[in-house]
Amino acid sequence: MGSAAVRLAGHLGAEVLATASPAKWPAVRALGVPADRLASSRTTDFADEFHTVTEGRGVDVVLDALAGEFVDASLRLLPAGGRFVELG
């Protein structure tokens, strides 16, 4: 699902920020996601990393397949009017 989402978002001209387990990073980078737009899905540090990358703006859309505290971290990335799409 993540690979399809990255491809579709890129096709639509979106700037993609992605999380994945470090073992999957080479595959995500092969889809065109730059290293500075890729973070680990194993800790909630991605929220701070992506706030830094976006200069505090956050993201317009979160496509979420995580749970618990990771959902909270993802929600912190959304500005007013942002969209949260849950895959569950």
Side-chain angles (χ1 to χ4, degrees):
M1 184 55 110
S3 296
V6 168
R7 287 184 179 140
L8 181 59
H11 175 76
L12 295 173
E15 178 181 354
V16 176
L17 288 81
T19 62
S21 66
K24 294 180 182 177
W25 287 4
V28 178
R29 285 195 300 266
L31 293 171
V33 177
D36 68 337
R37 304 282 194 268
L38 178 58
S40 176
S41 59
R42 300 302 182 237
T43 74
T44 59
D45 294 343
F46 67 85
D48 290 334
E49 293 173 30
F50 290 163
H51 267 293
T52 299
V53 166
T54 63
E55 299 178 347
R57 291 184 310 273
V59 299
D60 296 319
V61 178
V62 169
L63 179 62
D64 181 73
L66 303 172
E69 65 184 332
F70 295 92
V71 172
D72 296 335
S74 295
L75 288 170
R76 288 194 300 270
L77 287 168
L78 290 173
R83 304 288 194 265
F84 187 86
V85 180
E86 173 67 35
L87 297 174

